[in-house]
Amino acid sequence: AVFGTDVIPFEITGIPTGRITYGHRFLGDAADISNADDYEEELLGQHVIADPEKRKNAIRTQIQDIAEEAGWQVPIEEGLLEEVTNLVEYPTALSGSFDESFLKVPDEVLITSMREHQRYFPVKNKQGQLAPHFITVRNGDHLHLDNVRRGNEKVLRARLADAEFFFEEDLKHSLESRLPKLASIVYHEELGSMADKTARIEAGALQLASLLHGEGTLQQTVQRAARLSKVDLVTHMVDEFPELEGLMGEYYAIHDGEEQETAKAIREHYLPKQAGDALPDSEAGRIVSAADKLDTVLTSIGIGRIPTGSQDPYGLRRQAAAVLQIYLDGNWSFDLFAFIQKLLGLLDENKLLNRPHEDVFKDVKDFFELRFRQLLKDRGIRYDVTDAVISSGWSLPAQAVAKGDFLMSQLSVEEFKKDTEAFSRVTNISKKSSPGRPDPALFKEDQESSLAEACIQVEEPLQTALMERNVEQAYRHLQSIVPVINAYFDHVMVMADDEQLKQNRLFQMHQTASLIRQFADFQQIVFHSE
């Protein structure tokens, strides 16, 4: 423990501090550190590259040099590079080979075996095909590399032989024949087995497919993919490599003669597995994935397993966020919360909710709202605009996102600020009224009738434009009543002395505010002074 040239004196478990440190366990020796500035250089003399970035760059450069010399492509996965960097002190990269016969096993299996078991970097040829070679990193110098290579090849041969055995054994039994085994896997003690979850996924996926596309071939694909979605969990390969779930399901489904779209949906229903991951590419994959994730979120919250703080053992936040991303990516337009209510009804019928239905729905809605707020934030939508959009309802997420994007584009437009002032004036005074319908017979001023007529003319085209997600057109319809609103407040005293007149005008303000809030709660928008 040295500061400058001085030793900082203290003891840890009876061992006093000093100037001595030690290098590589085989190649190094003791080093006397007379000055802290010399620490890195002294360790390098003892075959230790102390700076992790220099160590990482050395590994990357050596791998690239080997690849260039051999005419290979080596995809360097950053997580693996980081791990290897922290496993070695003095890295020396070298290549090895394995028997070409192993290439009949899916590439992902071989790559996973090399990466997870041995921390090897897989090698591809110039055409991007997996080659029967690997690169590993030795913690040492360049001496006796042939011995090191042979040792690594021997170990890998055994690993790949295991993977080959698992793959061939799995191919002896179809996914369909393995379905009964799902009943032996407990999904959750309060929610039944994996077979029970699969049945719920199938039912939910069918409901969603019907809602989106009606009856047809897609629904058949969705049903088959949902039914087989979890079966690879009982295969040897996924038992050995859990990270291959879904992928092996696709391989085995294709081997069993399932339709290509069915097999693809089996793989895709796990996507996205983490933030930034790819989304399902096919409609069947999107539907089964959403059904799976909705079931996980709804059943967990239904039994009171709501994440608190940083605790989220079932990954519910990620699952809810994924549902929203899939909804938007699929360009879906159904009422998300009406569908969630339907699924909760089915869960309630099957006695899988241990709390009142409406309490669960409220918690689910609040839970999804937090994820949706984060989604809008990630799109660059300001907090006040987010409040304005969400306050008007966001059961149609794609429509709500479109509103948020549009409102953000208008913030610097002077006319928009004036529109917002007019809308906010209505919504603000409407808070003083309870819901009710104004009586045209009580209108005393022409502006009252004009506002009522303007709202009637705007309502239907506004709703149509919103349903078509043409939010700019919807806004222009709403904007058309701004002059009428301004004229109203110029000539009409809402809080009149006559109680009946005042109440009728408050009813009209409430009715007009309801129309405005179909787009957004403009009162939430904040204009910052220059």
Side-chain angles (χ1 to χ4, degrees), residues 199-493:
R200 294 196 300 272
I201 295 172
E202 183 178 341
L206 280 172
Q207 295 261 7
L208 185 51
S210 179
L211 180 65
L212 289 166
H213 304 284
E215 302 293 328
T217 304
L218 177 65
Q219 195 170 43
Q220 297 170 11
T221 301
V222 164
Q223 182 172 23
R224 187 65 177 165
R227 183 170 299 174
L228 300 177
S229 61
K230 302 298 183 183
V231 185
D232 66 354
L233 296 178
V234 295
T235 62
H236 295 295
M237 191 65 76
V238 175
D239 184 56
E240 179 71 11
F241 299 115
E243 61 269 41
L244 294 180
E245 62 185 7
L247 180 68
M248 297 316 300
E250 179 181 36
Y251 274 114
Y252 297 149
I254 291 172
H255 177 268
D256 293 347
E258 299 288 344
E259 295 291 335
Q260 188 70 42
E261 284 300 303
T262 299
K264 185 178 182 181
I266 291 172
R267 170 175 56 82
E268 289 188 332
H269 94 278
Y270 280 107
L271 299 177
K273 290 188 174 183
Q274 57 194 17
D277 201 0
L279 296 171
D281 180 59
S282 68
E283 184 70 345
R286 281 189 283 267
I287 290 171
V288 180
S289 179
D292 181 18
K293 291 167 176 57
L294 280 169
D295 176 74
T296 300
V297 174
L298 269 54
T299 55
S300 296
I301 294 178
I303 60 173
R305 305 288 183 176
I306 306 173
T308 56
S310 61
Q311 301 298 311
D312 188 8
Y314 301 105
L316 301 189
R317 295 187 181 98
R318 174 176 54 81
Q319 305 260 15
V323 170
L324 295 173
Q325 290 168 339
I326 290 168
Y327 184 108
L328 296 176
D329 187 64
N331 200 31
W332 293 345
S333 58
F334 65 88
D335 186 314
L336 177 62
F337 294 125
F339 184 64
I340 285 174
Q341 280 279 37
K342 194 170 189 177
L343 294 180
L344 285 175
L346 293 174
L347 294 175
D348 205 10
E349 287 176 15
N350 289 287
K351 304 189 184 308
L352 292 175
L353 304 180
N354 61 15
R355 301 189 296 137
H357 180 132
E358 287 308 312
D359 290 351
V360 175
F361 176 69
K362 180 183 181 304
D363 288 340
V364 168
K365 190 174 180 180
D366 290 346
F367 188 72
F368 270 93
E369 181 178 313
L370 290 174
R371 311 283 79 73
F372 190 62
R373 286 181 177 276
Q374 184 62 48
L375 186 151
L376 295 179
K377 181 180 178 182
D378 292 343
R379 290 179 67 92
I381 296 175
R382 235 168 52 181
Y383 75 94
D384 55 323
V385 175
T386 294
D387 288 341
V389 169
I390 288 180
S391 294
S392 70
W394 65 278
S395 61
L396 305 173
Q399 182 192 101
V401 168
K403 288 180 184 177
D405 289 340
F406 175 77
L407 291 174
M408 286 298 297
S409 73
Q410 298 298 300
L411 290 176
S412 60
V413 179
E414 186 61 31
E415 189 178 13
F416 175 72
K417 183 177 181 181
K418 294 177 181 177
D419 293 344
T420 298
E421 289 172 352
F423 296 144
S424 297
R425 194 171 180 184
V426 173
T427 54
N428 184 50
I429 201 167
S430 72
K431 294 176 182 177
K432 300 175 182 178
S433 169
S434 55
R437 295 181 63 84
D439 182 356
L442 295 176
F443 290 162
K444 297 295 184 184
E445 306 291 346
D446 292 343
Q447 288 76 15
E448 293 176 87
S449 299
S450 297
L451 180 59
E453 181 62 29
C455 289
I456 291 171
Q457 290 179 356
V458 160
E459 185 164 15
E460 186 174 338
L462 170 67
Q463 291 175 349
T464 300
L466 285 175
M467 289 307 297
E468 293 173 352
R469 255 180 279 161
N470 190 340
V471 294
E472 181 173 3
Q473 185 180 65
Y475 181 77
R476 299 308 170 205
H477 288 308
L478 195 60
Q479 188 182 42
S480 69
I481 71 171
V482 169
V484 186
I485 291 173
N486 290 333
Y488 180 95
F489 284 116
D490 286 344
H491 295 88
V492 176
M493 175 66 70

Side-chain angles (χ1 to χ4, degrees), residues 35-53:
N35 191 310
D37 292 340
D38 301 332
Y39 179 72
E40 189 175 346
E41 184 179 349
E42 289 285 349
L43 276 183
L44 183 60
Q46 301 302 326
H47 292 85
V48 174
I49 300 176
D51 188 324
E53 284 304 310

Side-chain angles (χ1 to χ4, degrees), residues 95-97 120 134 148-158:
S95 65
S97 302
Y120 293 167
F134 64 89
V148 177
R149 180 180 295 106
R150 284 193 295 271
N152 279 277
E153 289 175 342
K154 182 178 180 180
V155 173
L156 181 60
R157 189 182 307 118

